[in-house]
Amino acid sequence: MGLTFSETPSLLWTSESVTEGHPDKLCDQVSDAILDAILAKDPMGRVACETGVTTGLVVVMGEVTTDCYVDIPQVVRETIRNIGYTNANYGIDFNTCGVVVSIKEQSQDIKQAVDTSLEVRVGHREDDWEKLGAGDQGMMVGFACSETAELMPLPISLAHALCKRLSLVRKEGIIPYLRPDGKSQVTIEYAYGVPKRIHTVVVSAQHSREASLERIQRDVMEHVVKPVLPSRLLDEETKYYINPSGIFVNGGPNADTGLTGRKILVDTYGSSARHGGGAFSGKDPTKVDRSGAYAARYVAKNIVAAGLADRAEVQISYAIGMAEPISVSVETYQTARVSDEVIQGLVKKHFDLRPGAIIHNMNLRRPIYRQVASYGHFGREELDVPWERTDKAEALRREAGLPTVR
């Protein structure tokens, strides 16, 4: 067997993020803006909304079941405007782009499986959370670690911070020639599982044709990189690559088609944890691709916040139409302070992972999703989303017999 993460003397780990103007992220935000618009009027609405975008064209497709009316083209245009695509030269223009909508109702086969779970259909004891079956099969993964205050892996945390800053300096006119598209990438050198230094930083920013590469590199370093990266992790060997392509004028949907759900590692943990494969955006919470992944993060974060382990990866699997998960497992990468059996028992006792219970306990039938469709669904403590709360940590710590943190 090879060395574990915490036993490895030197390891490089990389994560990337993209700005809200990246064509794939544009699509995620459109899909979630449509979901939010429906949930605002009909909390019981069923939504599975996909978006595609290319030069001058947005295509919205999927399955929606609701009694309310939403002006989908208007939601699309407003979302694109808020991102900053207000000029066709940027890759798409909110005011003149074409919007094609192809929406049908949810399959009746899926609807009946979700409305009445297998447990209820075969006569098991029924309670409020037993009625709702999972909207699909699959496995969802949640992760947390003690590397950052928000209990996220450091590479993805810094990559998100760079992209958020890149959008901020564009919108506030600090770097006036920037355009909405952009990316970042951060490589961290670890020593025995602890971040040691920032090894490499990559930032690619869409810009106007008039801006020289020298000016872009100088401005991005001064106004984006330096304000974000912790100086204690930088040294003379840290490498910086700002617009390594040399020119990035043609960006957004004009340079690259976008699709909902094509940035799943940007949405989650930047490859520091495994991924079940299901995307989030455009899906109402009966889809466990979304609600199950949020619940898995909630479990993992409370385990780490309680001090039961320094790293925790939680996998939950479901079968379509069933309320109870097929399996729940926790991997702590040999960082646990109590036995795996104790952790498993505490998870089973304190976390109800049936879809109906997740939706109820986290109050997920409300319009909170557009805000997490860019810069990650996890670690967003500034948004007070329910899956980031650590309200069960103290009970877990106490029952595990660990000393109380003061």
Side-chain angles (χ1 to χ4, degrees), residues 95-108:
N95 199 38
T96 61
C97 66
V99 179
V100 176
V101 179
S102 180
I103 297 289
K104 58 185 178 181
E105 287 193 347
Q106 183 181 53
S107 160
Q108 286 299 310

Side-chain angles (χ1 to χ4, degrees), residues 149-201:
E150 65 272 22
L151 305 185
M152 287 287 287
L154 184 61
I156 190 67
S157 182
L158 291 179
H160 284 324
L162 286 169
C163 279
K164 282 192 279 189
R165 179 70 184 173
L166 196 61
S167 289
L168 179 70
V169 298
R170 168 179 62 87
K171 290 181 173 181
E172 294 191 350
I174 297 170
I175 306 181
Y177 53 80
L178 291 184
R179 301 296 179 252
D181 201 354
K183 285 186 171 184
S184 70
Q185 186 171 285
V186 177
T187 301
I188 299 294
E189 180 180 348
Y190 287 82
Y192 299 101
V194 177
K196 178 181 177 183
R197 56 185 291 272
I198 298 173
H199 180 275
T200 303
V201 179

Side-chain angles (χ1 to χ4, degrees), residues 141-153:
V141 176
F143 181 79
C145 63
S146 57
E147 293 175 18
T148 61
E150 65 272 22
L151 305 185
M152 287 287 287

